[in-house]
Amino acid sequence: MKKIAARDYGYTELTTGIVHIGLGAFHRAHQALYTHEAIAATGEFHWGICAASINSNPPLVQELQAQDNAYTVTEMNPDGSRTVKFATALVRSLAAKDDRRPLLDIMSAETTRIVSLTITEKGYCLNPATGELMVDNALIAHDLENTRNPKTALGLIVAALGKRKAKGMLPFTVLSCDNVPDNGKRARAAVIQMAEAMDPELAAWIREEVAFPCTMVDRIVPAMTEESFADVQSYLGVEDKGAIVTEAYRQWVIEDHFTMGRPEWDKVDGAMFVSDVQPYEEMKLRMLNGSHSILAYLGYLAGYETIDACMQDEQFVKVTRHYMNHEAAVTLEMPEPTDFASYAEKLIERFTNPGLKHRTWQIAMDGSQKVPQRWLNAARTLLAEEKAFAAIALGIGGWMHYVSGTDEQGNAIDVRDPMAEQLKAVAIEHQGKPAQLVRAFLALNAVFDQSLAANERFVEAVTHAYNTIREQGAKQAVALLAETI
Ligand code: CS2
């Protein structure tokens, strides 16, 4: 079988202008493809990407290297047709888990103008409820001791900026591309807090000189499976170990604040530069990601393996639509008139895409980091306005069942979450006592703040939702809610 290779089709003169941390499928399907197309539109060959994996040394890195870091992106249209794109913006891929030096070197190089991040919510090492840097986090503690050999993305950024400052170079721009509200501001806060603990002068320089634009990123990119690799291979007739299957839809809203320039990403469909990303980010987080999390926990418990399978259940669709229109959209403030109802319908269409096998288990991961920003701000607003929030409550009840670690058939759930052990311990301690269990979960400060935990209406709604799932099962709990809305 022929292997895919960039030298056959790709750019030959590309140099690295962007260093990316977090070489996952999302980066390759989103920013790297945007960059590839922006280079094609402008001929600016200095915007190639060096992408690194820092937490593991996945076989993917070697596999990508073996195919000149080129890969295909298969975009599945809702009507079942597909478009295949060839992406060659990656100049280099790095497995940097055990040796940070090559990564630090390239981050400190004169030619590097942007360091972008997809390190997931937990990569910012911030307390999800308060936004404070978790200094007691083992990785952060390590980095504060080992400033030249940091483990976290934050430590790497501080170290590379320190080198640049020492050499009198301009700082790169730090571009967060994670699903975190105010992602640029949070990245900034985390980096500055780290730097302050190491070198206050450097912290002051970062505060003055470094740009941390916020972004809203959107594209549904399911993790690849054996089936999806096999499907791509039979369609293309070429082996591609870096292949991605995603939806056709994509969006990227970026604050236009860069110290050393940036590619003209807005030459490509779906990308735009704005002065304030925050409202777009909130809309996407609450409407899309909030729905995703409801579907993930309730869908998983109901036995639905993927999001499109959930969407075959009319009651799930009804509750999702209700959540978007009556519990998420009503809490949003947009700078311009926004048609939330059509945005919601578009999301239902995207979730229904049969070409995307997006596992509920994948989205259920890291719930302790996702729940606060996806549901709780909306819940606070709805509580203050004395409005109902039954879908959010059902989502939280579903999350509590899910992280307890046993499904409705009594099988163990593989819960992936930085707080997994703590969550399981809560469940075991209060097993068989639902009211106490719900209160114990709500007392977890890193997820729910004190005012929510002390709000009796909130406690009552979540307890009711938890008990309905316990007594009737998740599928029926969704159906019962669908009857009332
Ligand atoms: C998902 C997101 O895994 C998850 O938590 O909700 O990855 C989602 O698919 C993207 O944000 C879509 O843009």
Side-chain angles (χ1 to χ4, degrees), residues 26 121 179 217-221 247 284 288-289 292-293 350 358 362-365 370 374:
F26 184 73
E121 296 85 350
N179 275 323
V217 289
D218 189 7
R219 178 162 244 193
I220 296 174
V221 189
E247 60 179 339
K284 191 250 167 179
L288 188 159
N289 299 108
H292 251 177
S293 292
R350 290 171 63 195
H358 200 188
Q362 186 188 345
I363 300 166
M365 238 182 263
K370 295 174 177 174
R374 295 184 178 197

Side-chain angles (χ1 to χ4, degrees), residues 22-96:
L23 176 54
F26 184 73
H27 169 66
R28 284 176 291 136
H30 192 272
Q31 305 97 55
L33 182 62
Y34 268 112
T35 305
H36 171 91
E37 293 179 26
I39 295 169
T42 59
E44 291 185 345
F45 293 111
H46 56 278
W47 286 121
I49 302 173
C50 167
S53 180
I54 61 167
N55 294 326
S56 60
N57 288 335
L60 173 73
V61 173
Q62 278 189 359
E63 289 162 357
L64 277 172
Q65 286 167 354
Q67 51 191 56
D68 296 338
N69 298 304
Y71 59 92
T72 58
V73 178
T74 299
E75 298 179 342
M76 301 300 242
N77 301 308
D79 66 3
S81 63
R82 60 175 83 186
T83 311
V84 180
K85 293 181 172 170
F86 193 64
T88 64
L90 294 191
V91 181
R92 196 172 157 202
S93 44
L94 274 179

